[in-house]
Structures are given as C-alpha cells and as structure tokens.
Amino acid sequence: MSENVIIIGSGPAGLTAALYAARANLDPLLISGNEFGGQIALTNEVENYPGFPDGITGPELTELMKQQAEKFGARVEQDHVSRVDFSKHPFTLDTENGARYNAQSVIIATGASPRRLGVPGELELTGRGVSYCATCDGFFFRGKDVAVIGGGDSALQEGLFLTRFASQVHIIHRRSELRAQQILQERARENPKINFVWDSVVQDIRGNGTVNALALVNVRTGDKSELPVNGVFVYIGHYPNTDLFKGQLEMNDEGYLKVDERLHTKIPGVFAAGEAHDHVFKQAIVSAGFGCMAAMEAEKFLADLEHEGYAAISENASH
Ligand code: NAP
C-alpha cells in the first residue's frame, strides 16, 4: 500500500503540512523523528508566535499543533526515517523501527540543528540558561549578564540584540579576529554593553539547575578563568538535517536543500519545507508557512498524478 503523502519531521513546518494535508483529505502520515517538535520544543517560552498573547511553551505549542493535525485525520508515527529512495516512484522510506513505507509524495521538514559546543553542562542546562535562540529567549535575561559564543555574523547580530535586555553581553571568541562583517563589528565595538573575550573557549558550563558561570581557557596562554553569567547563547553555526538526502537531492555547500519558489525539489513529488532549506529566517512562524505551502503543492501534485501519471509529470519537469 502506498501513502499519498509522507511528511518527515515534527517541527512547525511538518505539523503545519500535516494539518493542511489532512484538511485536504490526503490522509497524511507524519514521521516525527527522534526529537518530537524539533528546535521549538527546546524553547521554554514562545512569545512571538501569533495567537498566544500570554506566550506558550515550545512543547505546548507543538502538542497543540499535533492535536490540530490529528483532529483532521493526520497520523503521527514516533519513528525516525533512516533511508529514502527517491529514484523510483512511488518513493520508498525505511525507518529505524524497521518499517518500510511507499509514498506518492514526500514533504521533507527535517529542520536544522544548532551546532553545539559539546562541553560538560551544555545539554543538562539547555533551556535553563543555555540557548541557541536570542530572539526566543533574550527577554528572560533582562538586567542579567550573558555570554555569546562565536565570532560570526550570528554571534554579533544576536549579541547586539541581547544588549536590549542584558546588562552585559560577553562575546567569547576562539580567535582575536572576528569573522563577522565589518558593519556588525563596528556596531558591537561601539556598544558599551558588549565586552569581547578574545582567544578563549568554553571548557564547561556551570550551574545548579540554571547557568551561573562559564569556565574559560585562553587558547594562547592556557590561562583558566571563571566568568559569572546567567545565560549562554551559542552561535557557532547551524547544520540542516539533510544527510539522509545526500546523493539524491540537490543541496548547497552547507547542506541546505535547493528548492524552487514553490518548494519543489528537482524530483517531482518531493518537497521541502522549513529549515532544511531556509537558512535565512529561522523562525517557527516562517517554517509553519512553508509547511502550508508544501502541503498545498503536494495536493496539486497528487491531483496531477491522478490525471497525467508520474512519467508525464517527470517529462514536463525536465523541460
Ligand atoms: P559562521 O559564520 O560559520 O560563524 C561561526 C562562528 O563560530 C565563527 O566565528 C567560528 O569561529 C565560531 N566557531 C565555530 N565552531 C566553534 C567552536 N566549536 N567553538 C567556538 N567557536 C566556534 O556562522 P553564523 O554566524 O551562524 O553565520 C552563518 C551564515 O549566515 C554566514 O554566511 C553569515 O554571513 C550568515 N549570516 C548573515 C547575517 C547578516 O547578514 N546579518 C546574520 C547571520 C548570519 P572562527 O571564526 O574561528 O571559525
């Protein structure tokens, strides 16, 4: 038996795609991945998702999105897709739990993951002072001291954003030269709330329930120090969760999937939605919008498939 549409991923893009596909009577199957909800589920409180003036926690928002999709008939499987074959239609998907699915269309909503430092304390204190999203969590550090790790555009842009709330923002960079563009460097250097800590890396993140300090080491001198902070924002880059599609779909050098303006990949019937392709906005509401678009395109594809057949659609797409 072949599914009409399989959605891979359970962040805002995947769950919104499931809602739209379900309401279009496509009987979609969503395969959630190992971490249900994706990045937003890591956020304590979401205050910028429209419709929740008092804020909502990331896990609650995810649960409500899931309930809404299921209410209209979406099926949600807690499993992880480990292999896909887009070379033949219907497509084949294998999962870690040993299931094999055939699908007429696939929406890839596997998202992106922030790169982690990989130091002691980081995982345990994520959501308790360790954050990968200043837009989401900066507000909670009003009047507090925070650290930003990294020396690229994101570190400086988000560090500058954090000065709206924090009393002091320490930008900790492993070199003495920034990678970020000049204009951001100038703004950061001119901002009295920003303090640069050069040539330094984090050895561990300390705290008892919530972050209270960073253990640093100077990579030139070997000197060790402790920096008291209440928050740590890690901006050492993101990586899209697209390894699964290597060799089958086009991606850029960083692994973001290439799609056209309607979220079609090069393979007819395979769509991408959210941070697996979007490396610009990185917001839940934007990913939800992409999920809606991908589901509408999948619906159109399935209607065309019924009338024209896959060979004709492929032939048209190649011109
Ligand atoms: P990025 O440019 O890759 O910078 C990552 C930073 O983290 C670098 O300074 C790097 O140090 C540091 N780093 C990497 N691994 C580390 C580790 N294990 N420990 C400590 N530090 C580490 O990433 P990004 O800032 O997220 O930017 C990604 C892309 O988006 C870039 O192309 C950027 O231009 C773009 N972007 C643009 C804007 C804008 O135009 N306003 C805003 C945000 C992002 P090194 O410098 O030593 O390598």
Side-chain angles (χ1 to χ4, degrees), residues 115 117 149-155 157 173-175 177 179 181 184 201 235-238 254:
R115 291 185 56 211
L117 286 166
I149 318 300
D153 284 338
S154 296
Q157 188 167 288
H173 185 35
R174 62 185 177 183
R175 295 186 293 142
E177 271 174 49
R179 179 179 293 277
Q181 51 187 290
L184 287 172
V201 294
Y235 281 107
I236 60 169
H238 276 81
E254 293 171 57

Side-chain angles (χ1 to χ4, degrees), residues 148-172:
V148 171
I149 318 300
D153 284 338
S154 296
L156 265 64
Q157 188 167 288
E158 303 307 319
L160 283 160
F161 173 75
L162 286 166
T163 61
R164 296 189 201 177
F165 312 103
S167 19
Q168 180 107 62
V169 178
H170 303 279
I171 296 185
I172 296 161

Side-chain angles (χ1 to χ4, degrees), residues 1-240:
M1 195 193 123
S2 186
E3 299 285 346
N4 289 322
V5 54
I6 291 185
I7 298 154
I8 313 174
S10 54
L15 290 169
T16 306
L19 168 64
Y20 272 75
R23 290 191 79 254
N25 258 345
L26 298 179
D27 188 26
L29 173 68
L30 180 148
I31 303 176
S32 68
N34 287 331
E35 288 170 26
F36 197 90
Q39 289 184 68
I40 192 125
L42 293 176
T43 307
N44 258 335
E45 196 145 8
V46 182
E47 291 183 330
N48 55 5
Y49 200 91
F52 300 95
D54 299 323
I56 183 164
T57 70
E60 274 173 334
L61 180 59
T62 303
E63 180 56 30
L64 287 174
M65 287 183 177
K66 176 173 175 269
Q67 282 176 19
Q68 195 173 357
E70 285 178 331
K71 176 179 158 186
F72 293 102
R75 291 162 295 139
V76 175
E77 279 291 332
Q78 189 91 35
D79 200 351
H80 190 84
V81 176
S82 51
R83 200 185 136 272
V84 295
D85 183 357
F86 295 147
S87 66
K88 291 184 294 292
H89 189 268
F91 311 119
T92 312
L93 291 80
D94 292 304
T95 72
E96 276 179 3
N97 290 350
R100 169 163 285 196
Y101 297 97
N102 293 317
Q104 301 294 330
S105 68
V106 172
I107 296 175
I108 297 167
T110 47
S113 300
R115 291 185 56 211
R116 296 181 193 273
L117 286 166
V119 298
E122 184 179 20
L123 273 184
E124 303 87 301
L125 294 166
T126 291
R128 300 165 188 278
V130 176
S131 172
Y132 303 85
C133 179
T135 312
C136 318
D137 300 326
F139 186 78
F140 301 112
F141 296 91
R142 193 175 283 277
K144 308 229 163 112
D145 285 6
V146 300
V148 171
I149 318 300
D153 284 338
S154 296
L156 265 64
Q157 188 167 288
E158 303 307 319
L160 283 160
F161 173 75
L162 286 166
T163 61
R164 296 189 201 177
F165 312 103
S167 19
Q168 180 107 62
V169 178
H170 303 279
I171 296 185
I172 296 161
H173 185 35
R174 62 185 177 183
R175 295 186 293 142
S176 55
E177 271 174 49
L178 294 165
R179 179 179 293 277
Q181 51 187 290
Q182 277 304 323
I183 188 155
L184 287 172
Q185 293 197 27
E186 281 162 26
R187 280 187 209 152
R189 287 180 207 275
E190 282 166 10
N191 192 308
K193 283 190 173 181
I194 287 185
N195 168 49
F196 285 100
V197 181
W198 301 112
D199 299 316
S200 296
V201 294
V202 178
Q203 264 197 326
D204 62 274
I205 301 174
R206 297 179 177 167
N208 191 5
T210 56
V211 169
N212 57 37
L214 295 181
L216 301 179
V217 62
N218 184 302
V219 293
R220 280 184 195 263
T221 63
D223 287 349
K224 294 186 175 179
S225 60
E226 189 175 86
L227 181 71
V229 287
N230 296 111
V232 191
F233 290 83
V234 181
Y235 281 107
I236 60 169
H238 276 81
Y239 64 92

